[in-house]
Amino acid sequence: MSTPSTRQILVTSALPYANGSLHLGHLLEAIQTDIWVRFQNVRGNHCLYVCADDAHGTAIMLKAEQLGISPEQLIDQVRAEHLRDYGDFLVHFDNFHSTHSEENRYFSELIYRRLRENGHIASRDIQQLFDPEKQLFLADRYIIGTCPRCKSEDQYGDNCEVCGATYSPAELIKPRSALSGATPVEKTSTHYFFTLPAFKNLLEQWVHGGQLQSQVSNKLNEWLEVGLQEWDISRDAPYFGFEIPDAPGKYFYVWLDAPIGYMASFQNYCEREGVDFERYWARDSSAELYHFIGKDIINFHGLFWPAMLDSAGFRKPSSIFVHGFLTVNGTKMSKSRGTFITARTYLDHTRPEYLRYYFAAKLGNNVDDIDLNLEDFAQRVNSDLVGKVINIASRSAKFITKGNDGMLSTSIANTELWQQAVTAGELIAGHYEQREFSRAMREIIALADATNEYFDSQQPWALAKQPGREQDVIDVCSLCINLFKAIMSYLQPVLPETAASAAAFLNAPLDWSPTVQPLLNHRIEKFKPMMSRLDTDTLDKMVESQRLALEVEASGHPKASPGEPLADEIEFEDFARLDLRVAQIIAAEDVEGADKLLRLTLDLGGETRQVLAGIKSAYRADELVGRMTIMIANLKPRKMRFGISEGMVLAAGPGGKDIWLLSPDAGAVAGMRVK
């Protein structure tokens, strides 16, 4: 239970989207948030951390359709994967929920109704591009065509990635739907808008109130100076989300209910734990509320969100803490280079705490990008953590274990050095509080350096050989063990797993509230290795593993994720229903606009079929004519973005360039049934 003087803090981080795996960019934010929350709790404050999956929107609906499952099934699967990956990175949530929840529906409708009652919802007809085949309105990212300025093909509907031009989708030359390939048509629809300009004065006070990072205030001020626009908060059916009250066929835009998901997740926690929701969210709340977010979503959290909360009668955040993007080896994360690294690929190769420490060593309280330089990563882990911090315990413990049966001294051998460590605790705490993690890590490693220098200067290995100096050896090494305790106390928000191992070795809990205390006349356990060196070969294998996985993904031949169970067993009769036939490829051509597909014309011994096959990464069209393959001949024709596919070609291999069809010299005859 918290005392009246304890700070009451609620913390959130941005919601990961529920249509794919976590990557290291997601982990940058979650780890930063987790470190800050753990620090607050270590210092005796009452700090809660809630989050959720962002589970609504067109992309979720289309992804589920592509996989042949319901959106609910998709978000349930992804949520389980996200929770597993976050947990394995030692990110602790007091609650992790979903925006597709009854709590979120309740608060979304509540806030919307209050906005409407206060005159902050407007409606009007707008013109949008509509896909006549998919029967849905198209967001800009689902429209592609030729740039009206530089004439580059296959550019998205809002900007050209080649020349940087911005435009409306209607300005594209030969626009087409990225979903079906159909030519979009203009269609009128009634949309609902949040009247953001009505909050100009409130937002000016919020932006310039001193609670935001200066870079964030400056960016938000740019939008204020240009002039606020009404915000479109509705989308037309079909759409996966919550239907707007009293507006059939209209749904809340995903960004309307995503931040409300913070409230929903906390409400779910409150109901489970018996906590008073209003204590944290009421307009007059004395609790602290912080959002950790990336710099790409400042406008939603810095303008739309506080205005919505104010109109709806809730408190505004105490602050939003904004960080930059993650780059790898100095460049934007790249799938082609294998540096777009997923959380699971990293975890399959090395320890999560290594990355937690490296991020901490690089993070300040600004919005600058963070670079994961893999060579520097290995060097810093090996030097700082293994070579300096853990080495203190390793080299000191053996003298205590062998020379004094594990008992530490009854006094501190060098009070000045010990006081230096105690005093450093307040400076380090200040850096943690201000999210200046890199400064905190420098102070901690400086303390480790001072400890190792003291150990080396006292030369306990030499003292142990001198008669009558046994107690001096114990005193020196006992002080080093206590300094190790202080260092690990300061590192426990970053390295919670290693901190637990350190506490087990010390046979005592780590403490830092308000200051660390020495262990005197205390028995420690035998030292066991807590960390090993990080081999650069391991990182090379990680990058190569990710590259291969991305090749498989790009080839259109999905690879089962680690630990994914096999599909349910089928009966022989189910398999027997497949009509597998040898077919000869009598024509092959590239598919315009498709990176992975070839259009094959197959001879089944008198009958021809057209099949779209994702094997372009392994074969040129001109080298396939005359080859034999095996196809599922009785598969129902499937309407795809680039045409009808009348079957499926069977191939083997991991993907990329390694996709193998039937051997050319297999002696098969077109139309032959495979049994």
Side-chain angles (χ1 to χ4, degrees):
M1 294 293 292
S2 60
T3 64
S5 61
T6 301
R7 290 168 62 188
Q8 306 294 314
I9 308 171
L10 176 60
V11 174
T12 75
S13 55
L15 313 185
Y17 202 47
N19 73 335
S21 300
L22 299 176
H23 55 70
L24 296 193
H26 293 113
L27 269 301
L28 173 66
E29 177 170 290
I31 287 172
Q32 181 190 31
T33 311
D34 182 75
I35 289 172
W36 197 78
V37 170
R38 286 180 183 272
F39 160 74
Q40 296 295 346
N41 286 313
V42 163
R43 295 288 284 175
N45 295 316
H46 184 67
C47 188
L48 298 170
Y49 180 14
V50 301
C51 194
D53 266 341
D54 185 0
H56 286 157
T58 302
I60 298 285
M61 181 178 69
L62 295 174
K63 179 75 170 182
E65 180 184 308
Q66 176 190 346
L67 296 175
I69 59 178
S70 69
E72 289 82 1
Q73 288 174 307
L74 172 62
I75 61 179
D76 285 347
Q77 291 175 11
V78 172
R79 182 174 181 273
E81 179 186 333
H82 286 180
L83 275 172
R84 179 191 63 174
D85 289 349
Y86 278 135
D88 287 350
F89 266 99
L90 310 177
V91 175
H92 172 74
F93 299 107
D94 291 283
N95 199 59
F96 190 88
H97 206 36
S98 170
T99 59
H100 192 63
S101 65
E102 286 308 307
E103 295 92 346
N104 204 39
R105 184 191 300 275
Y106 168 79
F107 280 109
S108 296
E109 293 181 354
L110 174 68
I111 289 175
Y112 172 78
R113 286 193 172 99
R114 289 182 178 179
L115 298 181
R116 187 177 61 185
E117 291 166 2
N118 293 334
H120 295 142
I121 297 295
S123 65
R124 61 177 178 270
D125 289 347
I126 64 170
Q127 290 283 108
Q128 285 183 285
L129 290 181
F130 183 80
D131 185 328
E133 290 193 17
K134 294 290 289 186
Q135 288 292 298
L136 55 77
F137 287 97
L138 296 169
D140 292 350
R141 66 181 179 277
Y142 293 126
I143 305 168
I144 54 178
T146 300
C147 172
R149 177 183 295 178
C150 72
K151 306 303 185 289
S152 296
E153 297 181 351
D154 296 331
Q155 298 305 307
Y156 289 104
D158 53 357
N159 73 285
C160 176
E161 295 182 345
V162 177
C163 72
T166 58
Y167 40 73
S168 70
E171 295 177 88
L172 280 173
I173 300 171
K174 295 182 179 178
R176 66 181 186 276
S177 167
L179 304 178
S180 69
T183 300
V185 297
E186 283 197 345
K187 195 171 181 180
T188 301
S189 175
T190 301
H191 273 230
Y192 295 84
F193 296 81
F194 174 49
T195 59
L196 187 64
F199 297 87
K200 183 175 185 294
N201 292 336
L202 177 139
L203 291 173
E204 284 178 341
Q205 295 175 17
W206 154 257
V207 167
H208 300 296
Q211 68 266 49
L212 304 176
Q213 296 145 282
S214 60
Q215 294 158 294
V216 174
S217 294
N218 293 338
K219 186 61 181 178
L220 293 173
N221 192 57
E222 290 179 15
W223 280 305
L224 289 171
E225 290 180 343
V226 170
L228 300 174
Q229 303 296 315
E230 291 188 339
W231 180 37
D232 189 344
I233 62 167
S234 65
R235 293 297 184 268
D236 293 277
Y239 191 82
F240 184 63
F242 295 141
E243 197 166 31
I244 297 176
D246 308 317
K250 306 293 180 180
Y251 290 79
F252 289 127
Y253 173 42
V254 60
W255 262 109
L256 184 284
D257 67 57
I260 296 173
Y262 302 143
M263 304 173 77
S265 183
F266 186 61
Q267 175 64 30
N268 182 261
Y269 170 83
C270 290
E271 291 172 354
R272 187 180 70 244
E273 301 295 331
V275 174
D276 181 10
F277 177 90
E278 290 294 321
R279 183 178 185 184
Y280 289 83
W281 285 98
R283 192 187 291 277
D284 60 354
S285 170
S286 61
E288 301 169 52
L289 171 63
Y290 301 104
H291 302 309
F292 283 78
I293 63 167
K295 63 183 179 182
D296 55 329
I297 53 176
I298 291 175
N299 57 336
F300 294 105
H301 287 78
L303 297 175
F304 306 151
W305 181 229
M308 286 168 50
L309 287 169
D310 185 77
S311 178
F314 294 105
R315 55 90 49 82
K316 293 187 291 296
S318 305
S319 186
I320 53 176
F321 297 149
V322 183
H323 61 83
F325 298 138
L326 177 69
T327 60
V328 178
N329 289 339
T331 61
K332 184 179 178 180
M333 287 194 292
S334 166
K335 289 190 174 183
S336 63
R337 297 188 185 96
T339 54
F340 188 92
I341 301 169
T342 65
R344 186 50 49 184
T345 296
Y346 176 96
L347 291 165
D348 286 342
H349 289 84
T350 191
R351 288 182 59 162
E353 286 187 313
Y354 294 158
L355 191 67
R356 289 177 65 98
Y357 175 75
Y358 190 74
F359 281 165
K362 304 277 280 188
L363 277 165
N365 64 2
N366 52 48
V367 299
D368 296 342
D369 293 346
I370 304 299
D371 184 52
L372 171 58
N373 180 288
L374 295 176
E375 183 177 341
D376 179 56
F377 175 40
Q379 189 277 331
R380 192 170 299 214
V381 166
N382 293 337
S383 173
D384 291 359
L385 297 183
V386 181
K388 295 180 179 180
V389 174
I390 303 301
N391 192 44
I392 294 170
S394 174
R395 65 201 309 213
S396 302
K398 59 185 178 182
F399 292 102
I400 303 296
T401 303
K402 293 181 179 179
N404 204 36
D405 195 26
M407 290 295 294
L408 299 175
S409 295
T410 58
S411 61
I412 294 295
N414 186 320
T415 55
E416 182 180 351
L417 182 57
W418 173 251
Q419 192 55 47
Q420 177 185 332
V422 173
T423 303
E426 286 308 302
L427 179 62
I428 292 166
H431 291 326
Y432 270 119
E433 178 67 42
Q434 297 301 318
R435 305 175 322 286
E436 291 282 10
F437 296 166
S438 61
R439 292 187 178 184
M441 297 308 103
R442 285 198 294 272
E443 292 294 336
I444 293 169
I445 297 305
L447 184 56
D449 285 335
T451 302
N452 281 301
E453 289 170 6
Y454 171 76
F455 184 93
D456 292 340
S457 69
Q458 298 302 306
Q459 299 184 0
W461 62 90
L463 291 177
K465 298 177 182 178
Q466 301 176 24
R469 302 296 300 273
E470 293 84 3
Q471 188 58 47
D472 292 335
V473 173
I474 301 303
D475 291 344
V476 167
C477 293
S478 293
L479 174 56
C480 290
I481 293 293
N482 273 298
L483 291 169
F484 171 75
K485 175 177 180 283
I487 290 167
M488 286 309 306
S489 295
Y490 302 151
L491 277 174
Q492 59 183 315
V494 180
L495 307 175
E497 198 170 67
T498 302
S501 297
F505 157 67
L506 294 167
N507 194 27
L510 301 179
D511 57 320
W512 189 16
S513 180
T515 60
V516 293
Q517 299 297 319
L519 299 173
L520 303 176
N521 196 30
H522 175 85
R523 188 184 303 279
I524 62 173
E525 302 293 338
K526 184 177 180 181
F527 177 82
K528 297 178 182 178
M530 300 178 194
M531 276 189 179
S532 57
R533 292 177 61 82
L534 178 56
D535 192 341
T536 54
D537 287 346
T538 298
L539 299 180
D540 291 341
K541 291 176 182 176
M542 176 183 72
V543 170
E544 179 63 11
S545 173
Q546 186 68 74
R547 186 188 66 78
L548 291 173
L550 292 169
E551 278 191 6
V552 171
E553 178 186 330
S555 72
H557 297 277
K559 179 182 179 181
S561 58
E564 182 178 344
L566 296 175
D568 293 338
E569 291 183 348
I570 63 174
E571 300 293 339
F572 176 79
E573 290 74 14
D574 297 320
F575 174 73
R577 293 176 61 197
L578 297 179
D579 189 354
L580 303 179
R581 299 283 178 136
V582 175
Q584 184 176 32
I585 303 171
I586 58 175
E589 61 182 3
D590 294 334
V591 178
E592 183 179 354
D595 297 328
K596 309 170 188 175
L597 297 177
L598 293 175
R599 181 177 282 107
L600 307 180
T601 302
L602 303 175
D603 179 10
L604 283 168
E607 179 183 355
T608 60
R609 297 279 185 87
Q610 176 183 275
V611 172
L612 297 176
I615 58 175
K616 190 174 179 179
S617 60
Y619 298 96
R620 298 192 316 271
D622 59 5
E623 64 185 356
L624 285 172
V625 176
R627 289 283 298 269
M628 295 292 190
T629 186
I630 296 174
M631 72 171 293
I632 303 176
N634 63 334
L635 188 66
K636 184 178 180 180
R638 180 185 177 195
K639 185 177 181 180
M640 300 175 68
R641 172 180 165 188
F642 298 100
I644 302 293
S645 186
E646 300 173 310
M648 179 179 289
V649 167
L650 300 184
K657 295 184 180 298
D658 297 323
I659 299 174
W660 303 298
L661 301 175
L662 192 65
S663 173
D665 58 356
V669 177
M672 177 188 295
R673 186 162 189 178
V674 179
K675 296 188 176 183

